[in-house]
Amino acid sequence: MADMEERVELNYLLDFYGPLLTEHRRELMRLYCEEDLSLAEIADQMEITRQGVSDAVNKARRQLNDYEKKLGLVARYRALSRQAEACLSALDEIRADEGSLDAMNRARRALENIIQIER
């Protein structure tokens, strides 16, 4: 299970910071993360050694983790997502009168749109 969690985390990092990688590393990581190819399959496709792929993936992983430590965009994204979900839950608990029902529905739609954009 830890391997799956690491893959998910790596995909998040790649989504946020992938454009900061070199084109070569970005393609290797795309094949590794999005296409779920093995190191040997990537090596064959990219015409490099398996060790070269392994080294590049590890370097890219470290680079992506460094970006997250410095910029924190993934952590911020997750925090915003949690707060938007909490707002929706709180809105579900409110029983409004006729006058504020329209405002509540607008707030609900806005939060749903934010959550939808995130996914």
Side-chain angles (χ1 to χ4, degrees):
M1 184 69 159
D3 187 47
M4 181 60 78
E5 291 171 3
E6 289 174 19
R7 282 285 178 123
V8 169
E9 183 66 19
L10 195 53
N11 273 308
Y12 269 112
L13 293 172
L14 191 58
D15 285 346
F16 279 86
Y17 305 113
L20 300 175
L21 298 175
T22 64
E23 187 175 329
H24 179 72
R25 277 195 190 155
R26 189 170 49 248
E27 179 61 12
L28 285 170
M29 294 305 287
R30 187 190 71 74
L31 293 171
Y32 183 72
C33 293
E34 295 172 14
E35 301 295 326
D36 198 28
L37 298 181
S38 69
L39 298 180
E41 291 169 324
I42 297 169
D44 287 343
Q45 189 167 334
M46 301 289 291
E47 298 181 346
I48 58 177
T49 65
R50 185 190 173 287
Q51 185 61 47
V53 173
S54 178
D55 291 346
V57 166
N58 288 328
K59 286 178 186 176
R61 181 181 283 138
R62 281 193 303 272
Q63 192 175 3
L64 293 169
N65 282 318
D66 286 344
Y67 287 138
E68 177 60 15
K69 284 178 188 171
K70 291 175 184 170
L71 301 173
L73 297 178
V74 174
R76 184 169 188 248
Y77 164 80
R78 287 182 172 144
L80 287 170
S81 295
R82 283 191 303 272
Q83 291 303 308
E85 292 284 352
C87 286
L88 276 178
S89 293
L91 282 172
D92 284 340
E93 296 173 17
I94 297 173
R95 300 291 169 239
D97 59 27
E98 292 268 338
S100 61
L101 189 57
D102 187 49
M104 270 184 35
N105 286 332
R106 285 195 315 271
R108 170 174 281 294
R109 282 192 302 275
L111 285 169
E112 287 170 347
N113 288 338
I114 290 169
I115 292 168
Q116 204 60 337
I117 290 168
E118 295 172 350
R119 294 181 183 156

